[in-house]
Short mmCIF file of all heavy atoms in Angstrom, two decimals:
data_model
loop_
_atom_site.label_atom_id
_atom_site.label_comp_id
_atom_site.label_asym_id
_atom_site.label_seq_id
_atom_site.Cartn_x
_atom_site.Cartn_y
_atom_site.Cartn_z
N MET A 1 79.63 27.22 74.63
CA MET A 1 79.98 26.27 75.70
C MET A 1 79.90 27.05 77.02
O MET A 1 80.30 28.11 77.15
CB MET A 1 81.51 25.86 75.54
CG MET A 1 81.97 24.88 76.60
SD MET A 1 83.55 24.21 76.23
CE MET A 1 84.66 25.56 76.80
N TYR A 2 79.31 26.36 77.99
CA TYR A 2 79.18 26.93 79.36
C TYR A 2 80.61 27.00 80.03
O TYR A 2 81.31 25.99 80.04
CB TYR A 2 78.22 26.16 80.25
CG TYR A 2 76.83 26.56 79.89
CD1 TYR A 2 76.08 25.68 78.99
CD2 TYR A 2 76.21 27.68 80.47
CE1 TYR A 2 74.80 26.13 78.81
CE2 TYR A 2 74.96 28.03 80.15
CZ TYR A 2 74.25 27.23 79.33
OH TYR A 2 72.94 27.62 79.03
N ILE A 3 80.99 28.05 80.61
CA ILE A 3 82.21 28.23 81.29
C ILE A 3 81.92 28.27 82.84
O ILE A 3 82.59 27.61 83.62
CB ILE A 3 82.89 29.57 80.99
CG1 ILE A 3 83.20 29.60 79.47
CG2 ILE A 3 84.11 29.79 81.76
CD1 ILE A 3 84.14 28.46 79.00
N CYS A 4 80.94 29.01 83.25
CA CYS A 4 80.50 29.09 84.64
C CYS A 4 79.22 28.35 84.80
O CYS A 4 78.15 28.97 84.47
CB CYS A 4 80.45 30.55 85.08
SG CYS A 4 79.94 30.80 86.79
N LEU A 5 79.23 27.12 85.31
CA LEU A 5 78.11 26.37 85.52
C LEU A 5 77.16 26.89 86.64
O LEU A 5 75.94 26.83 86.53
CB LEU A 5 78.45 24.96 85.74
CG LEU A 5 79.04 24.25 84.57
CD1 LEU A 5 79.42 22.81 84.86
CD2 LEU A 5 78.18 24.26 83.31
N CYS A 6 77.82 27.48 87.63
CA CYS A 6 77.09 27.87 88.75
C CYS A 6 76.13 29.13 88.42
O CYS A 6 75.02 29.27 88.87
CB CYS A 6 77.95 28.52 89.87
SG CYS A 6 78.96 27.26 90.59
N ASN A 7 76.62 29.90 87.41
CA ASN A 7 75.76 31.10 87.01
C ASN A 7 75.25 31.00 85.57
O ASN A 7 74.71 31.98 85.14
CB ASN A 7 76.64 32.36 87.18
CG ASN A 7 76.96 32.54 88.69
OD1 ASN A 7 76.09 32.71 89.48
ND2 ASN A 7 78.27 32.57 88.98
N GLY A 8 75.41 29.89 84.93
CA GLY A 8 75.00 29.73 83.50
C GLY A 8 75.55 30.68 82.56
O GLY A 8 74.83 31.19 81.67
N ILE A 9 76.92 30.97 82.71
CA ILE A 9 77.59 31.89 81.78
C ILE A 9 78.33 31.22 80.77
O ILE A 9 79.18 30.28 81.03
CB ILE A 9 78.45 32.84 82.70
CG1 ILE A 9 77.60 33.59 83.62
CG2 ILE A 9 79.30 33.72 81.73
CD1 ILE A 9 78.38 34.26 84.70
N THR A 10 78.20 31.61 79.48
CA THR A 10 78.85 31.00 78.33
C THR A 10 80.13 31.75 77.93
O THR A 10 80.28 32.90 78.31
CB THR A 10 77.93 30.87 77.18
OG1 THR A 10 77.56 32.25 76.73
CG2 THR A 10 76.64 30.17 77.48
N GLU A 11 80.89 31.07 77.04
CA GLU A 11 82.09 31.75 76.46
C GLU A 11 81.64 32.94 75.78
O GLU A 11 82.33 33.99 75.86
CB GLU A 11 82.78 30.78 75.54
CG GLU A 11 83.98 31.28 74.94
CD GLU A 11 84.74 30.26 74.14
OE1 GLU A 11 84.43 29.13 74.17
OE2 GLU A 11 85.61 30.66 73.33
N HIS A 12 80.54 32.80 75.05
CA HIS A 12 79.98 33.93 74.27
C HIS A 12 79.73 35.17 75.19
O HIS A 12 80.04 36.37 74.84
CB HIS A 12 78.72 33.61 73.49
CG HIS A 12 78.06 34.70 72.76
ND1 HIS A 12 78.48 35.16 71.60
CD2 HIS A 12 77.01 35.55 73.07
CE1 HIS A 12 77.77 36.21 71.24
NE2 HIS A 12 76.84 36.42 72.12
N ASP A 13 79.12 34.86 76.31
CA ASP A 13 78.80 36.01 77.33
C ASP A 13 80.08 36.65 77.75
O ASP A 13 80.15 37.94 77.86
CB ASP A 13 78.07 35.42 78.54
CG ASP A 13 76.71 34.80 78.24
OD1 ASP A 13 76.02 35.25 77.24
OD2 ASP A 13 76.32 33.86 78.94
N ILE A 14 81.09 35.91 77.96
CA ILE A 14 82.40 36.46 78.45
C ILE A 14 83.02 37.32 77.31
O ILE A 14 83.49 38.46 77.59
CB ILE A 14 83.34 35.40 78.88
CG1 ILE A 14 82.79 34.71 80.15
CG2 ILE A 14 84.78 35.93 79.18
CD1 ILE A 14 83.52 33.45 80.66
N ARG A 15 83.07 36.77 76.13
CA ARG A 15 83.57 37.63 75.05
C ARG A 15 82.81 38.86 74.80
O ARG A 15 83.40 39.86 74.44
CB ARG A 15 83.58 36.73 73.73
CG ARG A 15 84.61 35.65 73.81
CD ARG A 15 84.79 34.83 72.43
NE ARG A 15 85.71 33.77 72.57
CZ ARG A 15 87.06 33.83 72.55
NH1 ARG A 15 87.51 35.06 72.39
NH2 ARG A 15 87.76 32.79 72.66
N ALA A 16 81.49 38.82 74.80
CA ALA A 16 80.61 39.97 74.68
C ALA A 16 80.97 41.02 75.75
O ALA A 16 81.04 42.21 75.52
CB ALA A 16 79.20 39.65 74.71
N CYS A 17 81.12 40.56 77.01
CA CYS A 17 81.44 41.43 78.09
C CYS A 17 82.75 42.13 77.92
O CYS A 17 83.00 43.31 78.07
CB CYS A 17 81.44 40.67 79.37
SG CYS A 17 81.46 41.80 80.87
N ALA A 18 83.80 41.36 77.40
CA ALA A 18 85.11 41.89 77.14
C ALA A 18 85.07 42.89 76.00
O ALA A 18 85.72 43.92 76.02
CB ALA A 18 86.10 40.72 76.80
N ASP A 19 84.28 42.64 74.90
CA ASP A 19 84.16 43.56 73.87
C ASP A 19 83.46 44.90 74.27
O ASP A 19 83.69 45.93 73.71
CB ASP A 19 83.20 43.02 72.72
CG ASP A 19 83.97 41.92 71.87
OD1 ASP A 19 85.30 41.92 71.98
OD2 ASP A 19 83.33 41.13 71.19
N GLU A 20 82.69 44.76 75.36
CA GLU A 20 82.08 46.03 75.97
C GLU A 20 82.96 46.69 76.89
O GLU A 20 82.55 47.73 77.54
CB GLU A 20 80.78 45.67 76.57
CG GLU A 20 79.69 45.22 75.54
CD GLU A 20 78.42 44.76 76.22
OE1 GLU A 20 78.20 44.97 77.33
OE2 GLU A 20 77.55 44.22 75.45
N GLY A 21 84.18 46.19 77.08
CA GLY A 21 85.13 46.95 77.91
C GLY A 21 85.65 46.25 79.21
O GLY A 21 86.55 46.82 79.82
N ALA A 22 85.16 45.15 79.46
CA ALA A 22 85.68 44.35 80.60
C ALA A 22 87.19 43.97 80.47
O ALA A 22 87.51 43.42 79.41
CB ALA A 22 84.93 43.14 80.95
N CYS A 23 88.09 44.40 81.38
CA CYS A 23 89.52 44.11 81.15
C CYS A 23 90.01 43.16 82.24
O CYS A 23 91.13 42.70 82.05
CB CYS A 23 90.23 45.48 81.31
SG CYS A 23 89.86 46.55 79.93
N THR A 24 89.31 42.98 83.28
CA THR A 24 89.83 42.21 84.40
C THR A 24 88.82 41.22 84.88
O THR A 24 87.62 41.30 84.51
CB THR A 24 90.22 43.03 85.64
OG1 THR A 24 88.99 43.65 86.15
CG2 THR A 24 91.20 44.16 85.25
N MET A 25 89.23 40.26 85.67
CA MET A 25 88.31 39.20 86.28
C MET A 25 87.33 39.95 87.16
O MET A 25 86.24 39.57 87.20
CB MET A 25 89.06 38.18 87.03
CG MET A 25 89.70 37.12 86.15
SD MET A 25 88.53 36.23 85.14
CE MET A 25 87.51 35.45 86.32
N ARG A 26 87.75 40.97 87.88
CA ARG A 26 86.83 41.79 88.65
C ARG A 26 85.76 42.41 87.80
O ARG A 26 84.55 42.45 88.22
CB ARG A 26 87.59 42.85 89.40
CG ARG A 26 86.74 43.59 90.44
CD ARG A 26 87.65 44.54 91.17
NE ARG A 26 88.57 43.78 91.95
CZ ARG A 26 88.85 44.03 93.25
NH1 ARG A 26 88.29 44.97 93.86
NH2 ARG A 26 89.71 43.29 93.92
N ASP A 27 86.12 42.91 86.65
CA ASP A 27 85.13 43.40 85.70
C ASP A 27 84.11 42.39 85.33
O ASP A 27 82.90 42.63 85.27
CB ASP A 27 85.78 43.98 84.46
CG ASP A 27 86.55 45.21 84.62
OD1 ASP A 27 86.46 45.80 85.66
OD2 ASP A 27 87.43 45.53 83.75
N LEU A 28 84.64 41.11 85.02
CA LEU A 28 83.79 40.10 84.62
C LEU A 28 82.82 39.66 85.71
O LEU A 28 81.68 39.39 85.47
CB LEU A 28 84.53 38.78 84.10
CG LEU A 28 85.19 38.89 82.75
CD1 LEU A 28 85.79 37.50 82.50
CD2 LEU A 28 84.18 39.17 81.65
N GLU A 29 83.35 39.64 86.93
CA GLU A 29 82.49 39.28 88.07
C GLU A 29 81.46 40.30 88.33
O GLU A 29 80.28 39.95 88.55
CB GLU A 29 83.37 39.06 89.32
CG GLU A 29 82.51 38.52 90.44
CD GLU A 29 83.36 38.17 91.62
OE1 GLU A 29 84.62 38.01 91.56
OE2 GLU A 29 82.76 37.98 92.78
N GLY A 30 81.82 41.53 88.12
CA GLY A 30 80.77 42.63 88.29
C GLY A 30 79.80 42.58 87.26
O GLY A 30 78.57 42.84 87.47
N CYS A 31 80.14 42.32 85.98
CA CYS A 31 79.30 42.39 84.88
C CYS A 31 78.40 41.14 84.81
O CYS A 31 77.19 41.27 84.50
CB CYS A 31 80.15 42.48 83.54
SG CYS A 31 79.23 42.46 82.05
N LEU A 32 79.00 39.93 85.04
CA LEU A 32 78.29 38.66 84.79
C LEU A 32 78.10 37.81 85.99
O LEU A 32 77.21 36.96 86.01
CB LEU A 32 78.94 37.86 83.76
CG LEU A 32 79.18 38.49 82.33
CD1 LEU A 32 80.12 37.67 81.48
CD2 LEU A 32 77.83 38.57 81.71
N GLY A 33 78.98 38.06 86.98
CA GLY A 33 78.93 37.15 88.12
C GLY A 33 79.86 35.96 87.97
O GLY A 33 79.77 35.05 88.79
N VAL A 34 80.74 35.95 87.01
CA VAL A 34 81.69 34.90 86.81
C VAL A 34 82.52 34.65 88.04
O VAL A 34 83.01 35.58 88.61
CB VAL A 34 82.58 35.18 85.56
CG1 VAL A 34 83.64 34.11 85.48
CG2 VAL A 34 81.85 35.19 84.25
N GLY A 35 82.62 33.43 88.49
CA GLY A 35 83.47 33.13 89.62
C GLY A 35 82.89 33.56 90.97
O GLY A 35 83.70 33.44 91.99
N SER A 36 81.70 33.97 91.08
CA SER A 36 81.16 34.48 92.30
C SER A 36 80.72 33.41 93.22
O SER A 36 80.32 33.73 94.42
CB SER A 36 80.08 35.46 92.01
OG SER A 36 79.01 34.76 91.34
N TYR A 37 80.69 32.15 92.85
CA TYR A 37 80.27 31.16 93.72
C TYR A 37 81.38 30.13 94.12
O TYR A 37 82.11 30.36 95.04
CB TYR A 37 78.96 30.40 93.19
CG TYR A 37 78.27 29.53 94.12
CD1 TYR A 37 77.62 30.11 95.25
CD2 TYR A 37 78.35 28.14 94.08
CE1 TYR A 37 77.01 29.31 96.16
CE2 TYR A 37 77.77 27.38 94.95
CZ TYR A 37 77.14 27.95 96.03
OH TYR A 37 76.46 27.13 96.96
N CYS A 38 81.63 29.16 93.33
CA CYS A 38 82.65 28.14 93.63
C CYS A 38 84.01 28.63 93.17
O CYS A 38 85.03 28.21 93.69
CB CYS A 38 82.38 26.75 93.09
SG CYS A 38 82.57 26.61 91.35
N GLY A 39 84.10 29.42 92.08
CA GLY A 39 85.34 29.92 91.51
C GLY A 39 86.04 28.97 90.54
O GLY A 39 87.10 29.29 90.07
N LYS A 40 85.51 27.73 90.32
CA LYS A 40 86.21 26.82 89.41
C LYS A 40 86.28 27.31 87.97
O LYS A 40 87.07 26.86 87.23
CB LYS A 40 85.46 25.46 89.42
CG LYS A 40 85.63 24.75 90.73
CD LYS A 40 84.90 23.38 90.69
CE LYS A 40 85.20 22.64 92.05
NZ LYS A 40 84.42 21.39 92.09
N CYS A 41 85.50 28.20 87.57
CA CYS A 41 85.48 28.79 86.22
C CYS A 41 86.58 29.84 86.04
O CYS A 41 86.79 30.22 84.87
CB CYS A 41 84.06 29.42 85.92
SG CYS A 41 83.64 30.71 87.10
N LYS A 42 87.17 30.36 87.09
CA LYS A 42 88.04 31.49 86.97
C LYS A 42 89.20 31.28 86.02
O LYS A 42 89.43 32.19 85.15
CB LYS A 42 88.51 31.94 88.34
CG LYS A 42 87.50 32.71 89.10
CD LYS A 42 88.04 33.18 90.44
CE LYS A 42 87.00 33.93 91.17
NZ LYS A 42 87.53 34.56 92.40
N PRO A 43 89.88 30.10 85.97
CA PRO A 43 91.00 29.98 85.08
C PRO A 43 90.49 29.99 83.63
O PRO A 43 91.20 30.65 82.74
CB PRO A 43 91.62 28.61 85.43
CG PRO A 43 91.25 28.41 86.87
CD PRO A 43 89.84 29.04 86.98
N ALA A 44 89.40 29.34 83.34
CA ALA A 44 88.90 29.35 81.93
C ALA A 44 88.40 30.80 81.58
O ALA A 44 88.69 31.19 80.47
CB ALA A 44 87.82 28.31 81.85
N ALA A 45 87.73 31.48 82.42
CA ALA A 45 87.26 32.78 82.15
C ALA A 45 88.48 33.72 81.92
O ALA A 45 88.44 34.59 80.97
CB ALA A 45 86.41 33.30 83.31
N ARG A 46 89.50 33.56 82.71
CA ARG A 46 90.72 34.42 82.59
C ARG A 46 91.29 34.15 81.17
O ARG A 46 91.77 35.12 80.57
CB ARG A 46 91.61 34.09 83.70
CG ARG A 46 92.78 35.09 83.87
CD ARG A 46 93.67 34.87 85.12
NE ARG A 46 92.88 35.15 86.33
CZ ARG A 46 92.55 34.37 87.26
NH1 ARG A 46 92.86 33.09 87.22
NH2 ARG A 46 91.88 34.75 88.32
N GLN A 47 91.37 32.96 80.78
CA GLN A 47 91.92 32.66 79.51
C GLN A 47 91.17 33.21 78.39
O GLN A 47 91.78 33.79 77.43
CB GLN A 47 92.04 31.02 79.36
CG GLN A 47 92.63 30.60 78.04
CD GLN A 47 94.03 30.93 77.86
OE1 GLN A 47 94.84 30.98 78.86
NE2 GLN A 47 94.47 31.17 76.64
N ILE A 48 89.88 33.13 78.46
CA ILE A 48 88.99 33.64 77.36
C ILE A 48 89.21 35.23 77.39
O ILE A 48 89.24 35.83 76.29
CB ILE A 48 87.54 33.28 77.61
CG1 ILE A 48 87.39 31.74 77.44
CG2 ILE A 48 86.59 34.06 76.68
CD1 ILE A 48 86.06 31.18 77.95
N LEU A 49 89.20 35.85 78.54
CA LEU A 49 89.40 37.24 78.65
C LEU A 49 90.71 37.67 77.95
O LEU A 49 90.79 38.67 77.13
CB LEU A 49 89.34 37.67 80.08
CG LEU A 49 89.48 39.16 80.35
CD1 LEU A 49 88.26 39.89 79.69
CD2 LEU A 49 89.41 39.41 81.85
N SER A 50 91.84 36.94 78.23
CA SER A 50 93.07 37.31 77.61
C SER A 50 93.10 37.07 76.18
O SER A 50 93.71 37.80 75.39
CB SER A 50 94.23 36.60 78.30
OG SER A 50 94.26 35.29 78.02
N GLU A 51 92.47 36.01 75.70
CA GLU A 51 92.40 35.78 74.28
C GLU A 51 91.60 36.83 73.53
O GLU A 51 91.96 37.34 72.52
CB GLU A 51 91.69 34.44 73.96
CG GLU A 51 92.50 33.20 74.30
CD GLU A 51 91.69 31.96 74.22
OE1 GLU A 51 90.49 31.98 73.75
OE2 GLU A 51 92.22 30.86 74.64
N THR A 52 90.51 37.29 74.20
CA THR A 52 89.64 38.32 73.55
C THR A 52 90.37 39.65 73.47
O THR A 52 90.36 40.30 72.45
CB THR A 52 88.32 38.40 74.34
OG1 THR A 52 87.70 37.13 74.41
CG2 THR A 52 87.41 39.42 73.70
N ARG A 53 91.12 39.92 74.55
CA ARG A 53 91.87 41.27 74.54
C ARG A 53 93.02 41.21 73.53
O ARG A 53 93.46 42.20 73.08
CB ARG A 53 92.37 41.46 76.01
CG ARG A 53 91.23 41.83 76.92
CD ARG A 53 91.60 42.07 78.27
NE ARG A 53 92.96 42.33 78.54
CZ ARG A 53 93.53 41.98 79.73
NH1 ARG A 53 92.92 41.45 80.64
NH2 ARG A 53 94.84 42.35 79.85
N ALA A 54 93.60 40.01 73.23
CA ALA A 54 94.66 39.89 72.28
C ALA A 54 94.24 39.99 70.86
O ALA A 54 95.01 40.15 69.98
CB ALA A 54 95.48 38.61 72.61
N GLU A 55 92.98 39.67 70.63
CA GLU A 55 92.45 39.66 69.17
C GLU A 55 92.42 40.97 68.63
O GLU A 55 92.02 41.95 69.28
CB GLU A 55 91.04 39.05 69.16
CG GLU A 55 91.02 37.52 69.55
CD GLU A 55 89.56 37.06 69.67
OE1 GLU A 55 88.63 37.82 69.49
OE2 GLU A 55 89.43 35.83 69.90
N PRO A 56 92.89 41.10 67.35
CA PRO A 56 92.81 42.41 66.64
C PRO A 56 91.37 42.90 66.48
O PRO A 56 90.53 42.01 66.25
CB PRO A 56 93.50 42.17 65.36
CG PRO A 56 93.45 40.73 65.12
CD PRO A 56 93.40 40.04 66.46
N ARG A 57 91.15 44.13 66.64
CA ARG A 57 89.83 44.70 66.42
C ARG A 57 89.60 44.90 64.92
O ARG A 57 90.55 45.22 64.14
CB ARG A 57 89.74 46.02 67.11
CG ARG A 57 89.93 45.89 68.63
CD ARG A 57 88.70 45.33 69.25
NE ARG A 57 88.91 45.20 70.67
CZ ARG A 57 88.52 44.20 71.38
NH1 ARG A 57 87.89 43.22 70.80
NH2 ARG A 57 88.74 44.16 72.66
N LEU A 58 88.40 44.76 64.56
CA LEU A 58 88.06 45.01 63.09
C LEU A 58 88.18 46.48 62.81
O LEU A 58 87.79 47.32 63.65
CB LEU A 58 86.61 44.63 62.83
CG LEU A 58 86.38 43.08 62.86
CD1 LEU A 58 84.90 42.87 62.70
CD2 LEU A 58 87.17 42.34 61.86
N LYS A 59 88.67 46.82 61.69
CA LYS A 59 88.82 48.19 61.21
C LYS A 59 87.57 48.48 60.47
O LYS A 59 87.12 47.63 59.57
CB LYS A 59 90.02 48.43 60.40
CG LYS A 59 91.33 48.54 61.16
CD LYS A 59 92.45 48.95 60.30
CE LYS A 59 93.69 49.16 61.09
NZ LYS A 59 94.82 49.54 60.24
N LEU A 60 87.00 49.65 60.60
CA LEU A 60 85.95 50.09 59.82
C LEU A 60 86.50 50.52 58.43
O LEU A 60 87.43 51.19 58.33
CB LEU A 60 85.18 51.25 60.44
CG LEU A 60 84.57 51.00 61.82
CD1 LEU A 60 83.97 52.26 62.40
CD2 LEU A 60 83.47 49.97 61.70
N SER A 61 85.71 49.93 57.36
CA SER A 61 86.18 50.40 56.08
C SER A 61 86.06 51.92 55.89
O SER A 61 85.11 52.58 56.32
CB SER A 61 85.41 49.67 54.94
OG SER A 61 84.01 50.00 55.10
N GLY A 62 87.03 52.56 55.27
CA GLY A 62 87.06 53.93 55.04
C GLY A 62 87.58 54.73 56.19
O GLY A 62 87.82 55.99 56.11
N ALA A 63 87.86 54.06 57.38
CA ALA A 63 88.36 54.81 58.51
C ALA A 63 89.80 55.09 58.31
O ALA A 63 90.55 54.26 57.73
CB ALA A 63 88.15 54.01 59.77
N PRO A 64 90.27 56.22 58.70
CA PRO A 64 91.71 56.56 58.53
C PRO A 64 92.59 55.55 59.29
O PRO A 64 92.19 55.07 60.42
CB PRO A 64 91.83 58.00 59.14
CG PRO A 64 90.60 58.30 59.79
CD PRO A 64 89.54 57.23 59.37
N ALA A 65 93.74 55.23 58.74
CA ALA A 65 94.65 54.27 59.34
C ALA A 65 95.37 54.72 60.49
O ALA A 65 95.51 55.82 60.80
CB ALA A 65 95.65 53.78 58.29
FE1 LIG B 101 81.68 29.73 88.12
FE2 LIG B 101 81.12 28.06 90.06
S1 LIG B 101 81.53 27.54 87.99
S2 LIG B 101 81.29 30.22 90.19
#
C-alpha cells in the first residue's frame, strides 16, 4: 500500500528502511524522502515505524540465547 503518494513510497519501503536501521522520522525522510513534500503521510509513516521497531526480531537457529 502506498503511504507517501507524493514520493511513491510504500509501507514495504518504510519497513525495509526501518529494518536497515532507521529509527526516527528524520531517518525515514533522509533515506526515502517520506514527508518531504506535503507531509500528510507522516502520521501513517510514524505508525509503521513504531510497529516495525516493536516487532520481535527473528532469532537465527543455533545462535546462543
Ligand atoms: Fe508524503 Fe505528501 S504524501 S509528502
Side-chain angles (χ1 to χ4, degrees):
M1 177 171 84
Y2 280 97
I3 301 300
C4 180
L5 296 178
C6 293
N7 296 301
I9 298 165
T10 64
E11 180 176 349
H12 175 79
D13 296 330
I14 293 170
R15 289 186 185 280
C17 192
D19 285 344
E20 291 175 10
C23 296
T24 65
M25 283 300 296
R26 187 174 295 223
D27 292 340
L28 283 184
E29 186 171 347
C31 178
L32 299 171
V34 172
S36 61
Y37 192 67
C38 75
K40 288 182 180 175
C41 58
K42 285 184 177 183
R46 191 174 289 116
Q47 178 67 33
I48 293 166
L49 184 62
S50 73
E51 289 172 6
T52 303
R53 288 173 23 207
E55 290 172 358
R57 301 285 180 220
L58 293 176
K59 283 189 176 179
L60 297 175
S61 62

